Structures are given as C-alpha cells and as structure tokens.
Amino acid sequence: MTSAGGADGGRCGDDGRHGDDGRRNVSDAAGVVVLGACATWSLVTGALHEGRPEGVLLAVLAVAAGYATGRIGGALLPVAAPCTGALAGLALAVTVPGLAPGPRFAGPLGHAGATAAVLALSAGAACCAAWAATAPAVRLALRALAVAIALTAAVLGSGSGFVCCTAVLLCSLAAGRMRRRGPAIAGLALVAAAVTGASWAVAARVLPDGLAEVLEGRLTQHRVQLWRDALRLAHRNAGLGAGPGRFVDFSPTAAQSLQPDGKPHSALFQQAAEQGLIGVGLLAVAYGWLLYALWRTARPTPLALTAGAALTALAVIATVGDALSFTAVSVGAGLLAGTATARPLADEAGPTRYGGGPDGTGRHRDEADPTDQRQRPGQNQPAP
C-alpha cells in the first residue's frame, strides 16, 4: 500500500526533476545558439574580407566538444571526471614545451598566458571534484591537489598562473559558506567587466599618467602597442572588422616583432579588430552563457561557483593574453563548464541555487523533515 504522503512526495520529486530538466534544456539551447552565432559570424566576416576563420571555428568546435564530454563524464563520474581533467591539465602544463613559459617564449607573450589558463582551469576542476566528493578524506586530498597545482605554477615561473590558481582555491572555499549563487555570479561578471574596461582604458590612453605607466610596465610596452594597433583597426572597421586572421596584415607592431604570430595577445582586441563590435558582443555573450548555465544548474552551489571562478580567471587571462588561441585551453574551458552543469546519475547532497537541497531546505523534495513532529493529513495511513 502506498501512503498518500509518499505519493505526494514522489510527485513533488518528479516535478523537481522535470523543472531541473527544463532549466538545463534552456541553457543548452542558449549554448547552441551562441556557439552557432560565433561560428557563423566568423564565416561572414571571413567571406567579406578574405579572412581566415579556421582558428575561430576550431575554438568553437573545441568548446562544444569539451562541453559535451564534460556533461557525459560529469553525469557518469562526478568526482573522477573533474579529477582526471585536473591531472591532465597539470601534466599538459608541465610536459608540453609549447605551453611552458621560459626564455624561448618570453617574447610572444601568449604561451605564458596559456599555461596560466590551463593551470587555473585545472585548479578549478580539482576544487569542483572536491565539492562533488562526499568522503572527507577524498575532499581533503582533492583540495591538496589544487594547492599542488598552484605551487606548480609558481615553480614553472608563471606568476599569473599562481595568482589565478590561488584565487580560484580561495573562492572555492568561500563558496561553501554561500547559500545563494546569484549575487556571486553577478560579482564574477563584474570582475570580468572591470578587467575588460581597464584594458580598454590602457589602450585608449584615458588613464592618468602615473597609473598608465604602472600598468604598461606590468603588461609590457610591446603588448600595449599591439592593443593600440588593434584599437585603431577596430575604429576603422567598427562593424565587420578586418576579417579573421588579418590583424597581422594591418599592425605595424606585429609586423616588426622578432617572433610575429599575427595576434594582438588579447581576445577582446582581437575580436574588435578582426570581427568588429558584433564579434566583441558575441564573445561577451559566450561568457555570459557559461555563467547563466552555472546559475541554472542543479549542482551544489559551491561547485557551480567554483567553476564560475575558474572560468572568470580564464576570461581575465584571455583579456590580457593570448590564451584562447590554444586549443587545449578552449577544450579545458568546455570540459569544466560541462562537468559543472552535468546532472549526476546519483543524487548529490549540498546547497543548490535555491539555498539548500532542491527544495531550498538542504533536503530533497521527497525527503521528510525528521524534526517535524506534525503529522500531515493522510500520512502513514492506508490509502482508500
């Protein structure tokens, strides 16, 4: 015999699951539209200006493939999948010469940014795995892995990587005390917007002389000159840009570089110069979509905010560096986002976007409150 209370709880649980599926479907559909628009716009601007959109298309494909893989892995192995991703990113940063910063790559600027991005994403994946774990010993070991990744960044000489990994780790620990993720997600968006505005201010020469000199010294004069070339090019072609891959054809600084790679070493300025204001808008919308997906996910709030912090660290690095030009970085971003928005086959404990469990109390909708001594009508009574 099924009790009326049990039947009501089952219906509530089904309603909650259907609600989670609906939110996930909305974010997935938004992702398809955003990534499709990015790919389409690169083809349009490439066709109009004889550009080379292959790099943009590869980046879009890498993000999509990583996201799909992360969704599958996060559903099947919610702890092992992000842990494996963290270890893979750490191994990649240590063993692949093209990503390790050093004397050989001191000039091009981009490789150090790629290392920092991979390590920041790896630290975020380790912290996400820690929040997904239930055993205290496993959770502690995974946080120790995140600390080891940050120390590895310091050993490799990636100062920005060490700072970003440390920031991700601290944000992850702080996220455990947050009940609502909306304000935190908004704060992450504000951080990315502030860094974007500051970089534009440096390139446009609108900062006070003293502050401008300090920032240019940290960024290097060569990088700032690349940004200013991109900004001038964007002013001349505000709508459509110069075409994907054509920045080097119009930049005196890039042409005179000892090791030219044809990039302004900033995703923001590369989009503005090569794909115009619409390209910049699509880049911002893609980042916003990732934050939206994390806000809507039914995964625990600390896990979602940890992934958001790592992706925001990537956005900051990409604004002042060339990180998104590396396929490994794009795949890693998609993997982390997919893992953090996957729905594990086994139920998870932990606060969701509603505060506690799926019903906002720390329990699932079909779980009774053991402290509630009141008996609801029909509870524990045989159904007629």
Side-chain angles (χ1 to χ4, degrees):
M1 304 288 282
T2 303
S3 67
D8 291 342
R11 285 193 294 271
C12 291
D14 290 340
D15 291 343
R17 283 188 288 270
H18 291 323
D20 292 342
D21 289 341
R23 291 190 297 272
R24 183 172 57 177
N25 291 339
V26 170
S27 62
D28 288 349
V32 171
V33 172
V34 170
L35 294 180
C38 291
T40 301
W41 184 246
S42 69
L43 291 172
V44 170
T45 55
L48 293 175
H49 295 291
E50 298 181 355
R52 298 175 290 277
E54 295 85 0
V56 178
L57 297 176
L58 179 61
V60 171
L61 179 61
V63 171
Y67 188 79
T69 303
R71 289 288 290 268
I72 296 172
L76 297 176
L77 303 169
V79 178
C83 179
T84 302
L87 293 173
L90 177 62
L92 182 69
V94 172
T95 60
V96 177
L99 290 177
R104 177 183 173 188
F105 299 117
L109 308 172
H111 298 274
T115 301
V118 168
L119 291 173
L121 293 173
S122 299
C127 292
C128 286
W131 282 117
T134 56
V138 176
R139 183 170 290 185
L140 181 62
L142 289 168
R143 285 176 178 156
L145 173 61
V147 173
I149 292 172
L151 295 177
T152 300
V155 171
L156 290 176
S158 176
S160 58
F162 175 76
V163 170
C164 289
C165 290
T166 303
V168 170
L169 179 58
L170 293 177
C171 288
S172 178
L173 294 175
R177 309 180 70 88
M178 296 182 181
R179 306 295 293 175
R180 299 284 179 178
R181 70 182 66 173
I185 292 288
L188 294 174
L190 287 176
V191 169
V195 174
T196 299
S199 62
W200 174 86
V202 170
R205 295 188 177 93
V206 299
L207 294 176
D209 293 339
L211 180 59
E213 290 178 2
V214 172
L215 292 178
E216 289 182 20
R218 298 292 298 175
L219 294 168
T220 71
Q221 187 65 29
H222 178 69
R223 188 188 312 227
V224 173
Q225 287 299 327
L226 287 172
W227 290 2
R228 287 170 179 163
D229 288 351
L231 196 58
R232 284 191 291 269
L233 187 58
H235 285 162
R236 292 200 301 265
N237 303 275
L240 298 175
R246 299 204 62 198
F247 171 75
V248 68
D249 299 334
F250 301 95
S251 171
T253 305
Q256 295 171 5
S257 177
L258 296 178
Q259 295 177 312
D261 60 359
K263 301 181 185 300
H265 294 275
S266 169
L268 169 67
F269 292 109
Q270 183 168 353
Q271 286 290 98
E274 296 183 349
Q275 299 189 49
L277 295 179
I278 296 178
V280 174
L282 289 173
L283 184 64
V285 170
Y287 171 69
W289 160 63
L290 292 175
L291 293 185
Y292 174 79
L294 294 172
W295 176 57
R296 302 291 286 179
T297 182
R299 299 297 296 275
T301 290
L303 190 152
L305 294 182
T306 297
L311 292 171
T312 299
L314 171 60
V316 170
I317 295 170
T319 300
V320 298
D322 200 20
L324 293 185
S325 297
F326 292 79
T327 304
V329 175
S330 301
V331 172
L335 277 170
L336 180 60
T339 302
T341 56
R343 179 177 178 178
L345 299 182
D347 289 338
E348 284 183 304
T352 68
R353 64 182 290 264
Y354 300 100
D359 65 346
T361 64
R363 304 179 303 277
H364 290 281
R365 295 181 178 89
D366 52 355
E367 292 178 355
D369 184 355
T371 65
D372 189 359
Q373 301 299 324
R374 295 171 299 177
Q375 189 176 43
R376 294 189 299 271
Q379 186 176 8
N380 298 326
Q381 297 179 6

